[in-house]
Amino acid sequence: FFSIGDDDGGEGTSNESFSSLYRERHIWDDHIDYLLQSVVQSKNEDLIVEQIGILNNLTPYDLPDGTEWIDFLHEYSHDISDLLQNILNPAIGHSRANSYHDDLKMEAIIWIGDICVDEKCSEWMANNDIVHAMSNLWKECYL
């Protein structure tokens, strides 16, 4: 995936030099929409765990040119919000909420953390009560 021949040999590696090292960028371009559609439509928890795990490992260089995570959050806004709320907050009354296993909750939290590096994504998460759902999950774990 990486070619170290392009590195300038300096101690710190900037994002620009990392980008030039990452030869596989945009390999997922044609698959992001399908992956997100599949995640929000699937009823198979084990599959959702793996799919969110893939999302966790995508870098900005894996997204289609000119897109950011916020673009996908807006496009799939209601579906992603509902999915994350169902996974994280069993108190919201959805029938499957209490059945989500810990691996799925963990993968969802990792994905949220990964994309919330972008301030716009953090705002989206806060505006869609995802942060509140995470807080409720943590409270539930310690009660």
Side-chain angles (χ1 to χ4, degrees):
F1 294 132
F2 297 97
S3 171
I4 58 174
D6 295 334
D7 194 2
D8 63 3
E11 291 264 336
T13 304
S14 70
N15 284 342
E16 187 175 315
S17 63
F18 175 77
S19 171
S20 68
L21 297 174
Y22 188 38
R23 292 185 286 140
E24 303 299 328
R25 41 178 183 237
H26 304 297
I27 196 169
W28 288 90
D29 284 8
D30 297 333
H31 309 288
I32 303 289
D33 277 316
Y34 173 77
L35 185 59
L36 285 169
Q37 287 173 10
S38 182
V39 166
V40 298
Q41 293 174 359
S42 180
K43 302 296 181 210
N44 182 332
E45 267 186 51
D46 293 327
L47 182 60
I48 296 171
V49 169
E50 298 304 324
Q51 291 168 324
I52 293 177
I54 291 169
L55 294 171
N56 289 341
N57 286 291
L58 296 178
T59 72
Y61 304 116
D62 293 314
L63 301 178
D65 274 336
T67 61
E68 299 175 329
W69 276 118
I70 192 65
D71 300 321
F72 293 107
L73 291 178
H74 286 309
E75 184 176 345
Y76 296 95
S77 183
H78 182 72
D79 294 329
I80 291 175
S81 179
D82 283 352
L83 176 69
L84 292 174
Q85 295 258 355
N86 286 335
I87 292 170
L88 299 174
N89 193 355
I92 62 173
H94 294 281
S95 60
R96 293 195 52 204
N98 287 318
S99 69
Y100 284 116
H101 57 75
D102 291 340
D103 288 342
L104 182 51
K105 292 174 185 176
M106 179 192 68
E107 291 294 343
I109 290 169
I110 291 169
W111 186 43
I112 292 166
D114 286 346
I115 63 177
C116 280
V117 170
D118 180 345
E119 185 177 335
K120 292 177 276 188
C121 292
S122 297
E123 289 175 13
W124 184 93
M125 292 290 175
N127 290 336
N128 284 280
D129 290 329
I130 304 303
V131 175
H132 183 69
M134 286 175 51
S135 175
N136 286 341
L137 176 64
W138 291 325
K139 286 177 189 175
E140 180 183 297
C141 291
Y142 291 106
L143 294 179

